[in-house]
Amino acid sequence: MSGMRGQNSNGKPRLLIVDDEEMVLTSIRSFLELEDNYHIDSYTDPRQALDHVRQNSLDLVIADYLMPHMEGIEFLTQVRALQPEATRILLTGYADKESAIRAINQVGLFQYIEKPWVNNQLLLIIRNGLEKRFLVKLLREKISELDEAHSGLKEVQKKLLQAFI
């Protein structure tokens, strides 16, 4: 997408956290900043977060299930449409667990995390989600290289045939 800032331009994975509770954002953000080297943006309003998604390339998105103005499932569905390769994680309360499980296929959810979360589990899920994201990116690049090589080979074959006919 043109106009989007390149992901990892500074070498840091780009994370987006969306939760209507500022305390949740602060807690996750503070923990992650201590544990690893991430570029983290956070929003309490999913509508503002979607504007961010439209203008910035992301590697991983964490969204709360229950938020005013837009549920986390709807938000992640829109994220998927805008940036299908970004890893999507849903934060959910225990009571919303069944809905989260049903949403796994709908939004291509990588994982859901129950509140209250355990920091080390959250970190592991994020690291695994980022690893998946970068492996998919690498796979796409290799497929693209193979396509280019194949096209070049076809052109050489065509020229060889023309030379002998």
Side-chain angles (χ1 to χ4, degrees):
M1 295 182 169
S2 60
M4 294 180 94
R5 279 187 272 178
Q7 61 199 24
N8 304 323
S9 57
N10 59 1
K12 295 181 181 182
R14 296 183 63 91
L15 278 59
L16 173 66
I17 307 168
V18 186
D19 195 303
D20 59 310
E21 297 178 53
E22 187 67 50
M23 191 176 80
V24 169
L25 296 177
T26 302
S27 176
I28 294 175
R29 186 181 192 113
S30 298
F31 171 70
L32 291 178
E33 286 173 346
L34 286 174
E35 289 298 318
D36 229 317
N37 196 17
Y38 301 125
H39 176 95
I40 303 169
D41 291 297
S42 56
Y43 291 88
T44 54
D45 186 332
R47 297 167 302 183
Q48 290 176 348
L50 271 180
D51 288 338
H52 181 83
V53 172
R54 287 183 188 99
Q55 297 182 32
N56 297 276
S57 184
L58 299 168
D59 297 308
L60 185 137
V61 179
I62 299 173
D64 187 27
Y65 177 74
L66 280 179
M67 298 182 286
H69 310 297
M70 185 183 306
E71 280 193 349
I73 305 253
E74 181 186 341
F75 173 79
L76 290 173
T77 299
Q78 292 190 44
V79 168
R80 183 182 195 182
L82 292 165
Q83 296 195 43
E85 292 184 7
T87 299
R88 292 168 298 280
I89 295 173
L90 186 69
L91 276 177
T92 179
Y94 182 77
D96 307 316
K97 185 175 171 180
E98 291 301 316
S99 299
I101 292 169
R102 283 194 302 271
I104 287 174
N105 291 331
Q106 180 183 337
V107 300
L109 202 61
F110 176 71
Q111 186 105 27
Y112 70 90
I113 300 168
E114 285 185 39
K115 290 180 178 180
W117 63 89
V118 176
N119 279 342
N120 288 337
Q121 287 177 328
L122 175 65
L123 185 61
L124 183 63
I125 289 168
I126 288 170
R127 286 179 176 163
N128 288 342
L130 287 171
E131 183 177 358
K132 173 194 172 259
R133 162 74 176 110
F134 295 125
L135 287 173
V136 167
K137 181 181 176 197
L138 183 62
L139 181 60
R140 286 211 189 283
E141 289 169 0
K142 293 298 177 193
I143 289 170
S144 179
E145 287 173 19
L146 285 172
D147 284 346
E148 286 178 31
H150 183 69
S151 295
L153 188 57
K154 280 185 143 182
E155 190 60 35
V156 168
Q157 287 174 332
K158 185 176 164 185
K159 287 181 181 176
L160 277 171
L161 283 173
Q162 287 172 345
F164 287 104
I165 295 179

